[in-house]
Amino acid sequence: MIISLLGLWLTSAVATAPQYTPAMDQSEWRISGDQFQCRMEQDLGAMGTLAFSKEPARAIEMQLTMHAAHLELQDVQGHVVTAGWQPEQVAPAVQFSPTFINAKVARFIEQVPVVMQQLQQGYWLQLMLDLPGQEITLTVPNIKSTSALAQFQSCIDALLPLSWAQAREFQLFYPLNERQPSADDTAYLKTLALYIQQDKAVKKVLIDGYTDDMGSSIANRVMSEERADEVASRLIEFGVSKNKLEIRAHGNRYPAAAGNKTQSHNRRVLVRLIRTQS
């Protein structure tokens, strides 16, 4: 029987769809995280978990994960409801649908900031689960959440300025005969330097300079080295240890593109971060 299997509290026996709410004494938001990810989640018993997560430079996300083997999601529709002890209060008309869904996971992105605001106001969440052959209304309590929400926000505030996917590789491109990074590239290098200083797993920063083939081999080698040196100088200025930097000048070797119309793609410096193996 579904009720005994899930170990959930039956809140309404006469509704069109069965309605379930996790046991109140076990309902709490748990916070975990580090400088790479923050997570706030609630255990929904054998039904699954509901979690909010945030990574650097990515939107906050809500994810419903189903644990019961026989329950497979076809669709999920959610909305904000009043707390169980405040039925007379009118809940805001906030609804949300998954951005991605499969049999076991539904991910929400677009309305999540609004949902978080409603949790801060003390509202609960209700999810309408469309399953093969049945529908279930799952109510997610939001009890004693003030401290948890504050901890979650503190974790978000301490996230790195970039994700690893963004920081691991960056290319700067140059006008003809230019050696200095542009203002935009310099601003990005400052952000990248902050990431390098905070991500203790970064053991080396490779800085490779390149040129087009419009000059002599010697002149191109010198130009590529000067460009790489300027990038290294910016990173050092912004706080990166010189010992982490490895500068290499390639001149016009290893072109990224061929042909006179694409020479600007070859005038570049490639910055790559190398992490220790975990």
Side-chain angles (χ1 to χ4, degrees), residues 2 13 21 29 36 52 54 63 70-71 93 108 133 143 149 152 156 192 196 210 214 228 231 233 237 267 270 275-276:
I2 292 178
T21 303
W29 294 107
F36 301 104
F52 293 85
K54 178 74 170 70
Q63 179 171 303
H70 70 291
L71 298 181
F108 305 80
I143 300 173
L149 289 165
F152 186 55
I156 291 174
L192 183 62
I196 294 169
Y210 304 87
M214 298 176 67
V231 170
S233 295
E237 176 187 349
R267 298 190 293 266
L270 175 61
R275 267 177 164 175
T276 54

Side-chain angles (χ1 to χ4, degrees), residues 226-238:
E226 290 176 344
R227 286 172 175 163
D229 283 342
E230 287 295 336
V231 170
S233 295
R234 296 296 191 282
L235 291 175
I236 293 171
E237 176 187 349
F238 297 142

Side-chain angles (χ1 to χ4, degrees), residues 117-177:
Q117 292 175 2
Q118 301 309 314
L119 290 178
Q120 292 173 347
Q121 298 298 319
Y123 292 102
W124 293 12
L125 304 180
Q126 196 165 80
L127 305 174
M128 315 298 291
L129 311 183
D130 185 2
L131 310 170
Q134 63 177 320
E135 293 182 350
I136 295 178
T137 300
L138 172 63
T139 300
V140 181
N142 180 35
I143 300 173
K144 298 180 180 179
S145 60
T146 302
S147 176
L149 289 165
Q151 292 179 51
F152 186 55
Q153 185 60 53
S154 295
C155 181
I156 291 174
D157 293 341
L159 286 171
L160 291 174
L162 300 170
S163 67
W164 168 245
Q166 292 175 310
R168 65 188 304 175
E169 185 172 305
F170 175 60
Q171 286 198 97
L172 302 82
F173 296 97
Y174 295 80
L176 185 64
N177 294 326

Side-chain angles (χ1 to χ4, degrees), residues 80-142:
V80 172
V81 296
T82 58
W85 52 81
Q86 296 177 322
E88 72 283 354
Q89 186 176 349
V90 178
V94 176
Q95 299 179 340
F96 45 94
S97 302
T99 305
F100 166 87
I101 187 169
N102 63 23
K104 294 300 179 186
V105 175
R107 294 171 52 199
F108 305 80
I109 296 177
E110 292 185 2
Q111 285 291 90
V112 175
V114 178
V115 172
M116 291 293 298
Q117 292 175 2
Q118 301 309 314
L119 290 178
Q120 292 173 347
Q121 298 298 319
Y123 292 102
W124 293 12
L125 304 180
Q126 196 165 80
L127 305 174
M128 315 298 291
L129 311 183
D130 185 2
L131 310 170
Q134 63 177 320
E135 293 182 350
I136 295 178
T137 300
L138 172 63
T139 300
V140 181
N142 180 35

